Amino acid sequence: MGLSKQAKVLSKSQIESVRAYLRSNRNGLRNETIFLLSVKSGLRSKEISGLRWIHLLKSDITLDDSISLPNDVSKGRNGGRIIPIHKDLKKNLELLFGQLQRKHRFDPFTDYVIQTERSSNTSPQMITNFFHCLYRKLGMIGCSSHSGR
């Protein structure tokens, strides 16, 4: 990929501005968590959409300090990896996990981390579109779902 095609990297002040904007809107916790999974963990859209709670939990069903990303969720055969969970992301994940645990039929072994109101999971394209619309709405030119990576 040529230099002109690379996504812009977000500054600390831009990250804080985006977080404040996301928290002030509908589904703020979920949307801020999507953003933090990209910015603080470097996950791709495909990885964010395929992330399940089982990848984040210890054996006692509490949140771990790292994401155990398997190959099938990642980019390819050797794409699986262990990713430390940033403290800001961990706070969001704990709140989101608490919300979802109160839902009827929540299963930490099979449920996806990112869910919509109409579906128990989301697609990589929906995550990519989320970032595209977010950055366009905030006037951040050259930013994309890869800006967090």
Side-chain angles (χ1 to χ4, degrees):
M1 180 185 308
L3 189 56
S4 64
K5 295 283 187 180
Q6 289 183 340
K8 300 286 184 194
V9 177
L10 301 174
S11 69
K12 286 183 182 181
S13 63
Q14 286 175 313
I15 291 170
E16 287 309 311
S17 295
V18 171
R19 290 184 68 190
Y21 171 76
L22 290 171
R23 280 192 299 266
S24 69
N25 287 298
R26 188 166 175 248
N27 297 313
L29 178 60
R30 181 202 63 199
N31 292 343
E32 185 184 17
T33 303
I34 292 170
F35 178 70
L36 290 176
L37 283 165
S38 174
V39 173
K40 299 296 184 183
S41 293
L43 296 186
R44 300 172 176 90
S45 294
K46 178 183 190 303
E47 295 166 340
I48 294 170
S49 67
L51 192 64
R52 295 177 188 258
W53 285 107
I54 193 68
H55 304 140
L56 302 169
L57 299 175
K58 297 183 219 176
S59 59
D60 63 355
I61 311 186
T62 59
L63 201 59
D64 204 344
D65 293 325
S66 60
I67 301 169
S68 298
L69 200 66
N71 288 340
D72 65 326
V73 174
S74 190
K75 192 172 182 179
R77 266 194 306 214
N78 298 320
R81 57 198 187 279
I82 306 291
I83 304 161
I85 298 176
H86 187 275
K87 62 182 171 113
D88 294 343
L89 175 57
K90 189 162 186 170
K91 286 178 193 173
N92 273 45
L93 289 169
E94 287 169 343
L95 291 171
L96 194 58
F97 188 62
Q99 274 184 3
L100 292 173
Q101 280 182 309
R102 290 187 288 276
K103 272 181 52 179
H104 183 64
R105 297 184 184 191
F106 173 71
D107 184 353
F109 299 103
T110 60
D111 280 9
Y112 289 89
V113 174
I114 304 303
Q115 301 179 5
T116 69
E117 291 175 350
R118 296 180 191 98
S119 178
S120 63
N121 66 337
T122 185
S123 71
Q125 188 61 53
M126 286 176 67
I127 300 295
T128 300
N129 293 347
F130 164 81
F131 282 110
H132 176 76
C133 292
L134 172 67
Y135 294 136
R136 186 179 53 180
K137 192 176 290 185
L138 296 176
M140 297 178 156
I141 298 168
C143 294
S144 74
S145 59
H146 273 69
S147 292
R149 295 185 47 78

